[in-house]
Amino acid sequence: MEQPSPTPEPQKHTPWRPIAMMAAAVGLGGAMLALSHHPDQRPAPQPSPHHAEQAVPMVEGAITLSMLPPDEAARAIARSAFPDQQKPALLAALKENRIRLAALPLADAEGQTGQSLTVSGAGFSQQVILSPKAQAVLLPIAQEGIITLTRTSPAKLGPLSVATLNMFRSVVVLPPLTQASPALSVPVIVQ
């Protein structure tokens, strides 16, 4: 009697494969290039210096994330990169239902280690050091809101390209943070 051959183990695919990252970066770069080189008959109005200092570019479209289960929230806050003095206020806001918590995986899209940025949302900020390996960054946010990513690395390290995953495990590469444009606002929806 012939025994059936064992079913091969499914291969595990890591979401941070270099080819997927490069494809995502090329696709986003091509879209950004196409949008930025669209001819216009009228010259663009020059922003006043006051507005130019305060303007933070906004990413089009929102990143949708899954809400962290409430029973995991206290442990997640304790392990987070938030400063110790912010953690009690963060836990109180969560208990009062003013915010939800979601985990946003962040990585350096260029595969570098050591670039740093500040992640801010709902009045809370944390410092994150990026590497090629994704790390979960805790986000306090209302159901919908804006987070701001601000590059804090020295300019000599070059542009910082941040990669993340949405709730569907699709890679999202954000526009690079440069010395001229060190901050980026990202709409986030927590479900």
Side-chain angles (χ1 to χ4, degrees):
M1 181 171 192
E2 192 175 302
Q3 293 203 8
S5 64
T7 309
E9 288 281 321
Q11 292 183 346
K12 294 182 181 177
H13 297 286
T14 175
W16 299 108
R17 291 183 8 217
I19 294 172
M21 294 296 293
M22 288 181 359
V26 169
L28 181 63
M32 296 295 287
L33 185 63
L35 290 174
S36 66
H37 286 89
H38 186 274
D40 192 3
Q41 282 94 14
R42 295 177 297 157
Q46 296 297 320
S48 70
H50 180 66
H51 290 295
E53 291 173 12
Q54 294 181 0
V56 175
M58 177 82 69
V59 172
E60 288 189 32
I63 294 177
T64 304
L65 300 171
S66 297
M67 183 175 77
L68 228 65
D71 58 331
E72 295 178 19
R75 285 191 313 265
I77 290 171
R79 292 185 310 236
S80 72
F82 287 102
D84 288 338
Q85 66 269 24
Q86 286 187 10
K87 290 179 182 180
L90 186 57
L91 193 54
L94 183 68
K95 287 181 180 178
E96 294 168 3
N97 281 332
R98 289 185 282 135
I99 61 167
R100 296 178 180 194
L101 292 179
L104 178 68
L106 294 178
D108 188 312
E110 299 295 322
Q112 304 296 318
T113 299
Q115 291 256 32
S116 61
L117 69 139
T118 300
V119 180
S120 303
F124 298 95
S125 296
Q126 59 189 309
Q127 189 72 21
V128 178
I129 307 292
L130 296 178
S131 72
K133 183 180 177 189
Q135 61 179 307
V137 176
L138 193 63
L139 294 181
I141 196 160
Q143 183 175 353
E144 295 180 10
I146 305 291
I147 62 166
T148 303
L149 305 177
T150 306
R151 172 195 168 141
T152 54
S153 298
K156 66 182 179 181
L157 294 178
L160 171 59
S161 292
V162 179
T164 187
L165 293 177
N166 63 19
M167 71 184 289
F168 305 108
R169 309 230 16 110
S170 298
V171 176
V172 178
V173 179
L174 301 173
L177 300 171
T178 63
Q179 185 175 3
S181 182
L184 184 64
S185 293
V186 181
V188 176
I189 298 171
V190 178
Q191 297 181 342

